[in-house]
């Protein structure tokens, strides 16, 4: 969750094609988008959004291999597999693989989450057919050179060390770890001890079992030619066999409080509570409430904790959603002397939110949201990621017009009604600093109700 952090088919054979077309909708005069969906019998789904006014195209590939698939004694295995897959694949050695991207002017990125490894590329539309075979080699035919394993581990070690050297990142990582049942909250990059024990054979076996088409989502957004796209994905991925996917086994949460001793003049505070997931009908008003709590310099946390009282240098809240559970995390960085007061005010704002919001706050929330949507529509990368997320969580693609309409319809009444009927939300609290709080006493009295 903390490595950002992200989303083949048999082509023209008519007995394998299954298309679903959505109705085009107007965005601005002279422009329109159209969603296309293709399901392959091996379980891979190709989705696309045509943006004909763009000259670029972006592709996100969600591989059903995430940190949840790491064995308990090999945390970080999926992360290291992702790193090593980029060190040569198919006809390309390690350096030629890098050059294949650079010669086509391709921007690429990789990230690991709980459920997926995401490979993303963005390029001129004319170069997409040239780079897709390279991506297929990375996914299906990585070399995993044993001679580069130590170098690959050094990259991951730096990720782990960087979090250990970042107090804010450390407290939020530990907040996620104890708030969510394992393996959902475990750090995606692993630990130094587990990383050191991973062998190249374990990486190869992990890849062979977890990198597979069933559950894979490939999203494309930009200037595309859909029939050619489906045909090429069929050639690249249509013969990929399916592997069995074991179910995730959860370990219940055992504690909701943690203090991490840290010799510093500062204290870092993390608070978390459960909320509805993205697919829940109440998601939009829940998201709206969090946006009012922490969504810009007019938000409640910024105004009350930082601006009015000057208690902290950083404060905010964010909404996260896995497929079947969601939640909110809050962070506050402050001086050790003012840590208790900062926590008190933060918790008071969480309680005050339960009493309702104002019309002005909802108006500002909607302005911010619509501005972000307009900017997203102008980015092929944002749309490729967004439609992949929609498909994973909802099993469908929401046109931008639908999202705009729902935001327009969101009002104070809807948010207040959600807050009034939502159940009690116990808190998880993690602090990092010189002195601990009396955490158990705090949690006994502080429920979001």
């Amino acid at each position: 969750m903390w490595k950002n952090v992200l989303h083949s088919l048999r082509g023209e054979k008519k007995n394998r094609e299954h298309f679903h077309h959505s109705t085009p909708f107007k965005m601005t005069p002279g422009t329109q988008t159209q969603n296309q969906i293709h399901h392959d019998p091996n379980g891979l789904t190709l989705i696309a959004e045509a943006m004909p006014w763009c000259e670029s195209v972006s592709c996100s590939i969600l591989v059903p291999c995430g940190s949840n698939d790491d064995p308990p004694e090999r945390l970080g295995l999926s992360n290291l597999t992702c790193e090593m897959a980029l060190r040569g694949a198919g006809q390309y050695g390690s350096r030629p693989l890098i050059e294949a991207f650079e010669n086509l002017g391709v921007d690429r990125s990789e990230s690991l989450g709980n459920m997926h490894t995401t490979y993303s590329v963005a390029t001129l539309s004319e170069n997409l057919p040239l780079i897709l075979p390279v991506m297929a080699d990375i996914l299906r035919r990585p070399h995993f050179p044993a001679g580069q394993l130590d170098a690959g581990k050094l990259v991951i070690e730096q990720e782990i060390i960087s979090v250990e050297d970042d107090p804010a990142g450390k407290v939020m990582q530990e907040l996620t770890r104890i708030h969510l049942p394992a393996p959902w909250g475990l750090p995606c990059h692993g630990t130094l001890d587990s990383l050191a024990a991973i062998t190249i054979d374990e990486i190869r076996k992990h890849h062979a079992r977890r990198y597979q088409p069933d559950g894979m989502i490939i999203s494309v957004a930009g200037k595309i030619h859909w029939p050619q796209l489906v045909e090429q994905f069929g050639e690249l991925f249509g013969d990929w066999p399916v592997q069995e996917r074991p179910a995730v086994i959860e370990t219940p949460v055992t504690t909701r409080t943690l203090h991490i001793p840290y010799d510093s003049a500062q204290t870092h505070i993390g608070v978390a509570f459960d909320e509805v997931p993205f697919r829940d009908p109440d998601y939009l008003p829940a998201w709206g409430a969090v946006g009012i709590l922490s969504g810009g310099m007019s938000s409640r946390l910024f105004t009350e904790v930082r601006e009015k009282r000057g208690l902290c240098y950083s404060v905010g809240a964010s909404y996260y959603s896995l497929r079947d559970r969601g939640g909110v995390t809050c962070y506050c960085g402050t001086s050790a002397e003012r840590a208790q007061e900062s926590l008190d005010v933060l918790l008071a704002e969480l309680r005050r939110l339960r009493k309702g919001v104002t019309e002005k706050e909802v108006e500002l929330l909607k302005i911010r949201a619509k501005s972000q949507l307009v900017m997203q529509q102008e980015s092929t990368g944002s749309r490729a990621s967004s439609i992949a997320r929609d498909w994973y969580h909802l099993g469908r693609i929401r046109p931008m017009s639908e999202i705009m309409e729902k935001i327009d319809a969101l009002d104070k009444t809807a948010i207040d009604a959600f807050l009034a009927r939502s159940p009690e939300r116990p808190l998880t609290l993690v602090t990092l600093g010189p002195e601990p709080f009396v955490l158990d006493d705090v949690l006994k009295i502080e429920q979001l109700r």
Side-chain angles (χ1 to χ4, degrees), residues 12-32:
E12 292 291 308
K13 294 185 179 179
K14 295 184 178 179
N15 63 339
R16 291 174 62 87
E17 286 188 340
H18 304 282
F19 298 108
H20 303 272
H21 303 279
S22 65
T23 303
F25 63 94
K26 295 290 183 180
M27 291 300 301
T28 58
T31 64
Q32 64 180 21

Side-chain angles (χ1 to χ4, degrees), residues 363-390:
E363 179 185 352
L364 292 174
L365 169 75
K366 293 163 71 169
I367 290 172
R368 290 195 304 270
K370 287 192 275 190
S371 295
Q372 292 169 359
L373 285 172
V374 170
M375 289 186 286
Q376 182 188 101
Q377 181 60 21
E378 296 175 352
S379 166
T380 59
S382 294
R383 285 306 294 159
S385 297
S386 181
I387 64 177
R389 180 189 62 194
D390 276 1

Side-chain angles (χ1 to χ4, degrees), residues 257-331:
T257 66
L258 175 67
H259 175 72
I260 306 168
Y262 191 77
D263 186 13
S264 171
Q266 299 172 336
T267 293
H268 303 266
I269 302 167
V271 176
F273 56 92
D274 293 335
E275 199 46 273
V276 297
F278 185 73
R279 68 200 313 176
D280 192 281
D282 276 335
Y283 173 78
L284 190 59
W287 165 87
V290 176
I292 288 169
L293 181 69
S294 176
M297 290 187 291
S298 63
S299 66
R300 292 190 179 186
L301 287 182
F302 186 92
T303 300
E304 297 297 329
V305 186
R306 189 178 189 274
E307 187 174 87
K308 287 184 178 181
R309 295 174 174 83
L311 291 172
C312 65
Y313 56 87
S314 179
V315 65
S318 61
Y319 205 131
Y320 69 86
S321 180
L322 307 179
R323 195 166 201 170
D324 298 312
R325 57 164 52 88
V328 178
T329 57
C330 307
Y331 168 79

Side-chain angles (χ1 to χ4, degrees), residues 63-64 209-216 240-245:
V63 181
R209 187 174 189 187
R210 300 295 183 175
Y211 276 55
Q212 61 157 308
D214 187 24
M216 184 178 292
W240 199 352
V242 176
Q243 301 287 333
E244 181 183 359
R245 297 170 59 191

Side-chain angles (χ1 to χ4, degrees), residues 85-115:
L86 300 167
R87 295 175 176 267
Q91 62 179 308
Y92 303 97
S94 183
R95 185 62 198 176
L97 183 61
I98 295 173
E99 292 172 351
F101 287 102
E102 292 185 345
N103 291 341
L104 293 172
V106 175
D107 289 333
R108 50 158 266 258
S109 64
E110 302 79 36
S111 62
L112 186 80
N114 302 88
M115 294 299 294

Side-chain angles (χ1 to χ4, degrees), residues 7 15 52 54 96 114 118 123 169 230 243 332 361 365 383 392 409:
H7 272 32
N15 63 339
C54 296
N114 302 88
T118 301
T123 186
V230 174
Q243 301 287 333
C332 181
E361 288 174 324
L365 169 75
R383 285 306 294 159
Y392 175 69

